[in-house]
Every structure is written in C-alpha cells, then in structure tokens.
Amino acid sequence: MSKNTDQKRVIVVGAGLVGSLLALLLSRKHSLHVEVIERRDDPRTAKYTEGRSINLALSVRGLTALEKVGLKAETEKLLIPMKGRMIHTLDSKTELQPYSSFGDQINSISRHSLNLLLINHAEAHGVKFHFNKTVVKIAHRSLEIFFKDDQPICADIIFAADGAHSYVRNSFINTPFFNFSQMYSEHGYKELRIPPAKDGSHLLPKNCLHIWPRGNYMMIALPNLDGSFTVTLFFPFSALLEGEGFDTLDTKEKVLAFFENRFPDAVPLMPTLLEDFFSNKPEPLVTVKCFPWSFTDRVLLLGDAAHAIVPFFGQGMNCGFEDISILDQILESQKSPFDWSTIFKNFQTLRKPNTDAIAQMAEENYLEMRDRVVDKNYLFRKQI
C-alpha cells in the first residue's frame, strides 16, 4: 500500500466485476477513500438474481490485474482451465483444437463467485458499498449525485464502471466534442444448461471450450465447478435475416425439432432444454465506442461504459481488468496528491487504440468460431 495524502471522496458507479476490482485497488493499494454505488441488490443476499452471463473466460491479462490486489491465488481456486476448443460437428463427431502447441489456456470462471470475492475483499479494505441506489441525475459542475429514493451525495472524483448502458456516460451525451456510437448485433443469445452427472462429474470433457459451429450461428458451453456447463446459443433475432431466428422458435415442438436437427449430440445432455429456453428471452449484443472517456477532469469512464464489445473473443472482462492495470501503472508513476486531469488524459490516450482493436477482433472471432473452425483450409493455415 502506498502512502497517500489525497483525501478526495472517490465514487465508483457500478459494483460489477470492473467496479469492484477498481474500488479494491484504489483503496488497498493507493489508500483512497472509496465508495461504490450500485443500482441492483447486494449479490450476497438471497433476493439477488443473476442478470448476465453466468460464467466468463478469464485470461492472463485479467489475472494480472487480480494479482495487483493480491487475489490471484484465491481466484485460481475458482478456475477451470480450458486448453482448447472442442468442436462438435453436425454428425456428432468431436475434434479438439488446442489453443497452441505451448500449452496456452483460458479459464472458465463464475461471474457471481468472482464478484463476491471482489466485493468482500473491497469491504475488508475499507470500501463502502451502497446497493439499490438508482442514479437519476449528476450535476456536472459540483459532481453532486442524485438518487431515486435517497439524499444526494457529492463526489470529488467519479469512476463510471456502470456497464454498456452507463448512466454516467449518457449524462454527458450532449457534451460538445463527445463522440459516441453503439452498434447492436443482428444476433442475440440465450443461456441454457447441461447439468452435472449423478455423481457430480461433467458430462463432457471439462478442460475445453465446447463449440457447435453451424455456419451463421453457433452454440458454446463453458464448464462450471459444480459439474454443469453453461450453454449459450448465439442466433439471429429474426428469420428475415438468414432464414432462421429466435422469432420462429416460438413453440416447444419447434425448439425441440431445431435442437435435435442442429445439435443432436447435445439434446440428450439437456433434460431442461425446453424449460430453460422459454424461461428467458434472447439478450442483445452491443458494441459501444466513445471518446473522450474523461469529463471535467474529474469523471472517467472505463470498462464497458467506455468500450463494450461482443463476447466472441472472450475478452470483455479481461479488457476491463486491463483498464485497471493500466490505470494502476499511471497512478504508480505519480506522487500524491494525484493530478487526476493528467492521469485521466494519459489513461484514455493509452487505452483507446487497444480497445478499438479488441472490439474489431471480437467481431471477427464470431465468424471464426461459428464457421471457420471446421474449414480445412483455415485450419491448415493456422497450423503453419
């Protein structure tokens, strides 16, 4: 922990993965007074319900940020290594495609478990969390934050880690010279499930990312520690796009026929397929780009609030965590009290080109995963 004379009141908006890790780093390593505002329930309570994808892929870049707050070892206990892609063809054959000949891997991790770990450690290091607080207004000059059902508070510094639909970012949308774009994919996703075997083991090989590539769409499965798999179908919203879509899968009979025809080896492993399919609506996928990321020298966007990407490169969380690693490097280069204006400008200048590149790679990787992984010419080129 560095000795810090900066007594400013730092508010992090968003208690998700990026916001919680950021709050922990600022408090534990840089001795700042940090509070976190979150519109949802405390995820540690019984009434909390999972709102986004259940598990994620954690890479070396994400682990590097966790190591900065002393949580690499504890996080590794929550991981299942995935050393390659297991391709499931239409005729129910499988082929393992290692990520590299050097033993490279990515790791499956529960979003909820990782979020709890970060919140608990942040609280243990003095971070105060305010749950069920819906921001309705931010006064840009005073940085007074107004809530739906509570008294306003004043901040000296605001970090916006409130996701792709960031309220903080949107409150600055009419600021001169602020450029913003969002692009929704014509494909969405539904989360399904493969349960564990009766003995608690995995019904598929657990140390790989399972992919059912089907040309213009795909299904994937990531392993969980309890022996289950989180299954995600990425599929067009409308059949008008490419002849098939979520809008035509509107009866149990149609859904079952579709899965038996397109994913025949998966259906016997999914006893709650129909229940799962109709229990949640298709979720959209969005890419967000904007600039600048800082306002009034006292507000900074990071994570999905600054650069949301589609999930096909497995780098959304890792990219947000890398934001924190880069911010930490900049803070380490400064003496307290911090020159936040310079810190924010340096941060956005360093990160913007990288996050734009990752967004493009994520889009391209969807085509690779749903189609090219079964193309012999592509696989040959990749080997050489």
Side-chain angles (χ1 to χ4, degrees):
M1 179 186 293
S2 61
K3 185 177 180 181
N4 189 10
T5 60
D6 196 328
Q7 298 301 310
K8 287 183 170 58
R9 187 181 193 182
V10 177
I11 300 294
V12 176
V13 181
L17 297 174
V18 172
S20 299
L21 177 56
L22 173 63
L24 173 57
L25 181 130
L26 294 176
S27 179
R28 173 176 173 161
K29 190 171 180 181
H30 298 286
S31 305
L32 291 165
H33 173 73
V34 184
E35 298 176 57
V36 179
I37 296 168
E38 171 58 54
R39 63 178 177 82
R40 297 172 298 178
D41 294 328
D42 187 335
R44 297 166 295 185
T45 63
K47 62 180 179 179
Y48 175 82
T49 56
E50 192 77 47
R52 298 178 64 190
S53 56
I54 295 169
N55 56 2
L56 301 163
L58 181 65
S59 71
V60 172
R61 295 198 298 177
L63 282 169
T64 298
L66 291 162
E67 189 172 22
K68 287 177 173 288
V69 294
L71 289 183
K72 183 180 179 182
E74 284 195 59
T75 301
E76 287 176 337
K77 298 175 184 177
L78 305 174
L79 303 180
I80 296 180
M82 298 184 294
K83 301 181 182 300
R85 300 165 170 170
M86 182 68 78
I87 306 303
H88 296 251
T89 61
L90 191 57
D91 58 0
S92 298
K93 295 180 181 179
T94 58
E95 177 188 0
L96 178 62
Q97 297 178 1
Y99 285 120
S100 78
S101 58
F102 304 105
D104 292 341
Q105 66 183 42
I106 57 174
N107 305 282
S108 177
I109 188 168
S110 160
R111 174 192 293 274
H112 185 63
S113 297
L114 181 55
N115 208 172
L116 295 188
L117 179 68
L118 293 170
I119 290 173
N120 287 333
H121 278 267
E123 274 195 340
H125 285 87
V127 176
K128 186 175 182 180
F129 284 82
H130 305 275
F131 293 100
N132 296 302
K133 301 294 183 186
T134 302
V135 178
V136 296
K137 180 182 177 182
I138 298 176
H140 293 173
R141 290 184 180 274
S142 65
L143 288 200
E144 193 171 8
I145 304 173
F146 296 85
F147 302 101
K148 183 177 181 181
D149 297 309
D150 208 344
Q151 296 298 310
I153 63 173
C154 284
D156 294 306
I157 299 294
I158 294 177
F159 288 96
D162 51 340
H165 304 288
S166 168
Y167 180 87
V168 178
R169 182 196 65 226
N170 292 342
S171 76
F172 288 92
I173 203 75
N174 293 320
T175 301
F177 309 110
F178 176 56
N179 296 309
F180 167 79
S181 70
Q182 65 179 21
M183 179 67 71
Y184 279 93
S185 172
E186 294 175 319
H187 291 216
Y189 70 94
K190 267 184 182 279
E191 290 206 332
L192 310 167
R193 185 171 183 267
I194 294 176
K198 291 181 179 180
D199 63 359
S201 62
H202 292 82
L203 291 172
L204 293 170
K206 72 174 184 178
N207 293 117
C208 49
L209 169 63
H210 292 265
I211 305 177
W212 288 259
R214 296 297 181 262
N216 67 320
Y217 58 88
M218 69 176 181
M219 189 168 75
I220 66 171
L222 275 74
N224 299 308
L225 290 175
D226 66 357
S228 68
F229 284 85
T230 300
V231 181
T232 307
L233 173 63
F234 296 99
F235 198 59
F237 274 105
S238 173
L240 294 176
L241 179 62
E242 295 181 55
E244 296 178 294
F246 280 120
D247 58 343
T248 61
L249 299 178
D250 53 1
T251 69
K252 292 182 178 180
E253 292 76 16
K254 289 180 181 178
V255 171
L256 186 58
F258 169 75
F259 273 81
E260 287 178 338
N261 179 257
R262 306 303 291 170
F263 310 109
D265 61 327
V267 172
L269 308 178
M270 304 170 71
T272 59
L273 168 61
L274 297 178
E275 177 184 344
D276 294 340
F277 190 91
F278 288 103
S279 66
N280 59 85
K281 63 181 181 179
E283 296 290 340
L285 300 166
V286 65
T287 298
V288 170
K289 294 182 180 180
C290 63
F291 200 79
W293 293 351
S294 63
F295 306 93
T296 69
D297 297 332
R298 298 165 64 197
V299 179
L300 181 70
L301 311 177
L302 71 175
D304 283 355
H307 49 73
I309 62 175
V310 292
F312 308 118
F313 198 50
Q315 293 298 320
M317 171 183 63
N318 295 297
C319 196
F321 281 9
E322 191 171 49
D323 282 355
I324 298 170
S325 293
I326 299 301
L327 181 63
D328 178 54
Q329 292 174 16
I330 297 171
L331 290 171
E332 286 181 329
S333 70
Q334 289 224 351
K335 293 182 179 180
S336 179
F338 293 127
D339 176 0
W340 290 105
S341 175
T342 299
I343 290 169
F344 289 174
K345 288 176 182 176
N346 288 345
F347 172 79
Q348 66 183 14
T349 300
L350 283 170
R351 289 297 288 154
K352 174 65 172 171
N354 290 336
T355 58
D356 283 350
I358 292 173
Q360 181 64 36
M361 293 167 70
E363 293 281 359
E364 294 171 353
N365 206 47
Y366 185 29
L367 177 59
E368 176 178 324
M369 292 174 70
R370 76 190 194 194
D371 190 14
R372 293 175 181 166
V373 289
V374 291
D375 183 280
K376 292 182 179 179
N377 291 329
Y378 166 79
L379 294 175
F380 176 75
R381 290 195 302 270
K382 192 170 182 180
Q383 286 180 345
I384 59 175

